[in-house]
Amino acid sequence: MNAPGFRFCPQCATELSWVEALEDGGPKTRLRCPACGFTHWNNPTPVLAAVVECMDRDGVVLLARNAAWQGRMFAHITGFMEAGESPEAGIAREVLEETSLVAESVKLIGVYEFLRMNQVIIAYHVQARGEIKLSPELAEYKLFRPEDIVCWPAGTGLAMADWLRGRGITPRFMEFKA
């Protein structure tokens, strides 16, 4: 069991322990504080993702490489919602902040599990326009014709595959060596 970043109770600073307790669904082992009873629920984090279609560039899709990533993997524009922000407004803001593109249309593609990162991906198709200027968070971008995109078989890659299917394109998936 793993709950990254949590070792001590945020209420009383006592070291947390893995403790089994009865909950609505039966017994569940979670990080709990033996002193004050605080429970770290470790719920998945919602993450917003965008398939960014550049409307003033013949409908190509913008994929970007995060500056912190090793290698040359290109992916969706992603980010987190701000307090009081709708997911639609959040992804339009993220696209603007990270690429300088202005969203004209934001439509839900779907919701996808990403268990490895304990996240839930809320993916949108964002039609956008403008001059591409990357934030320091991104190292580079590439523009792809939809039929040339190769999806990865999890999280945002599944969202891309669903978007491609919606356009009548059979998605191709990259293979990972075990």
Side-chain angles (χ1 to χ4, degrees):
M1 287 181 255
N2 192 344
F6 264 83
R7 287 191 51 215
F8 297 94
C9 177
Q11 295 179 160
C12 72
T14 301
E15 188 167 6
L16 299 175
S17 302
W18 289 103
V19 176
E20 184 178 283
L22 283 176
E23 296 180 1
D24 291 344
K28 186 75 173 182
T29 302
R30 299 186 191 275
L31 277 175
R32 302 177 196 273
C33 179
C36 74
F38 169 83
T39 299
H40 174 56
W41 298 101
N42 198 30
N43 293 334
T45 302
V47 174
L48 305 174
V51 173
V52 179
E53 184 179 10
C54 300
M55 300 311 296
D56 48 1
R57 290 173 182 80
D58 296 323
V60 294
V61 173
L62 179 144
L63 297 177
R65 184 174 67 80
N66 189 297
W69 293 350
Q70 303 272 331
R72 301 236 20 243
M73 179 74 136
F74 291 83
H76 296 71
I77 301 302
T78 59
F80 300 100
M81 289 185 300
E82 298 287 339
E85 182 176 62
S86 72
E88 293 83 1
I91 197 59
R93 175 188 49 77
E94 286 288 345
V95 168
L96 180 63
E97 287 176 359
E98 295 184 16
T99 68
S100 297
L101 296 174
V102 176
E104 291 186 353
S105 171
V106 176
K107 294 184 181 157
L108 182 67
I109 298 170
V111 178
Y112 305 84
E113 66 182 32
F114 192 30
L115 298 177
R116 182 174 63 85
M117 295 295 290
N118 194 27
Q119 296 174 342
V120 173
I121 308 290
I122 306 169
Y124 290 92
H125 170 212
V126 176
Q127 292 179 315
R129 292 184 190 278
E131 183 182 342
I132 300 168
K133 295 179 191 167
L134 298 182
S135 76
E137 186 177 330
L138 301 176
E140 61 184 314
Y141 72 91
K142 284 188 176 183
L143 301 174
F144 293 86
R145 294 180 321 156
E147 58 273 14
D148 294 335
I149 295 171
V150 178
C151 304
W152 74 293
T156 56
L158 299 177
M160 180 66 80
D162 283 347
W163 181 76
L164 290 169
R165 283 185 197 98
R167 295 177 62 98
I169 300 168
T170 300
R172 295 176 295 133
F173 289 91
M174 57 181 65
E175 294 183 26
F176 290 104
K177 296 178 183 176

